[in-house]
Amino acid sequence: MGNVVVTVALSGADNTGKTKQLGILARRIGPAAMATGPLDAHDARWTAIKKSGMGSWWFRPRRGSRRRAGRLLPEPRPQRRAGLRLMDRGMPMLEASVAATAAVREHLNPDQAADRPVRCWSPTRRT
């Protein structure tokens, strides 16, 4: 198969064990698999955000801009040359997070909010 990377991403509510289960699965599979870990494990900016309070950052416009949130979420995580990459959030979940944040912050209807991730991410980043 050459340098094929297969990504499996679980999306779902926070604190339900996605990261833990993917870590166990990666250990059982062995070197052919890699769990990328939680979203905040690979970007130092999350440390400051967590200290100030995630709720404030997500839902109070002055604490973090929508565009900043939209750009931070899909930042690169560890990459593989080949094998199985296990991620605890897929792009649909990240899109939903940005749309929901925009809906609350900007008092948007669902159709308007659904457009926000597209505005935040370039076509390259979305892939």
Side-chain angles (χ1 to χ4, degrees), residues 10-90:
L10 297 181
S11 293
D14 286 342
N15 301 314
T16 58
K18 294 180 302 294
T19 303
K20 181 59 121 181
Q21 292 300 316
L22 290 173
I24 291 168
L25 182 60
R27 276 196 314 276
R28 298 229 177 181
I29 292 172
M34 176 183 83
T36 61
L39 186 64
D40 60 354
H42 307 288
D43 192 322
R45 292 176 289 182
W46 284 106
T47 302
I49 292 166
K50 288 168 106 175
K51 281 184 182 177
S52 69
M54 293 287 283
S56 293
W57 187 81
W58 276 111
F59 298 113
R60 290 191 188 143
R62 292 187 193 135
R63 299 298 290 250
S65 75
R66 181 194 75 246
R67 202 170 284 285
R68 182 176 151 207
R71 289 186 177 145
L72 180 59
L73 288 172
E75 285 297 318
R77 296 205 224 168
Q79 301 296 314
R80 293 187 62 84
R81 290 200 168 98
L84 179 62
R85 178 177 45 202
L86 304 168
M87 298 177 70
D88 74 349
R89 276 192 179 53

